[in-house]
Structure formats: structure tokens, C-alpha cells
Amino acid sequence: MKDILGLLNDLRRPRILIRAARIGAQDYRRNPHLHRLIGYGTLPRPGAALMRLMEMEADLDDKRHKNDAAYSVSRHVEVLTAMMGEARILREAAH
């Protein structure tokens, strides 16, 4: 079984989404961004947060593929940005 960062590296998404998320990840601040996406209360640890974000992102990507009217590009970029930010926190903690 792959680790969480390996799963993240295997994601294949449109280049424009990834590019926008990388730009957003430069200014990622865990507290406000994660609260907006996950909800208020105690924030989960980076690994648990990343797993939850990956589930949210998979749902968004499914909606994108189905051309669902509820799909939001901005929300997708927000979630991808948070995923990149949480992955960076995990990598920094591992070193």
C-alpha cells in the first residue's frame, strides 16, 4: 500500500488546476484555509487533514468528469491548494 504522499504524487489533474493550486499554495496558511474547507473546531493533524482533503478532491474531480452543475472550479483549486500545503507540512515534519 502506498503512503499518503505517494498517493498525492500519483494524482493526474488538468495542468491549469495544478498550476493555480501551486500559486495558491505559496500563501497557504493552515488555520484559515483548513477551517474554511473542513469546518471550525479542532483541526486534524496534517496526515488526517490530507486524507480528508483527498476525499473531498476526489468528489470534486468526479463532478468535473460528469459535468455536474454543482462543480466549482474555484472550490477545486482551494482543495488542491490545501492538499499541497498539508503535503508540504508533512514533508517538513519528516525531515
Side-chain angles (χ1 to χ4, degrees):
M1 183 170 159
K2 287 191 165 197
D3 68 338
I4 192 167
L5 294 176
L7 291 172
L8 187 61
N9 287 334
D10 289 345
L11 281 180
R12 298 291 172 246
R13 300 297 182 255
R15 189 177 302 174
I16 189 86
L17 286 176
I18 298 301
R19 187 177 299 160
R22 281 187 181 140
I23 291 168
Q26 294 172 2
D27 295 324
Y28 179 73
R29 290 181 323 200
R30 187 170 205 268
N31 210 25
H33 288 109
L34 210 50
H35 275 300
R36 183 171 52 245
L37 293 170
I38 292 179
Y40 288 92
T42 305
L43 290 176
R45 291 179 167 210
L50 187 52
M51 286 300 295
R52 199 186 235 163
L53 290 165
M54 288 177 75
E55 290 170 4
M56 293 169 67
E57 193 279 333
D59 182 54
L60 286 164
D61 199 55
D62 185 51
K63 286 179 181 176
R64 180 180 67 84
H65 281 285
K66 291 179 179 177
N67 292 320
D68 191 323
Y71 174 70
S72 168
V73 174
S74 61
R75 178 77 170 180
H76 203 163
V77 170
E78 262 189 308
V79 172
L80 285 168
T81 297
M83 286 170 57
M84 289 179 184
E86 292 298 309
R88 183 179 63 223
I89 292 169
L90 275 178
R91 286 185 189 105
E92 289 172 357
H95 287 103

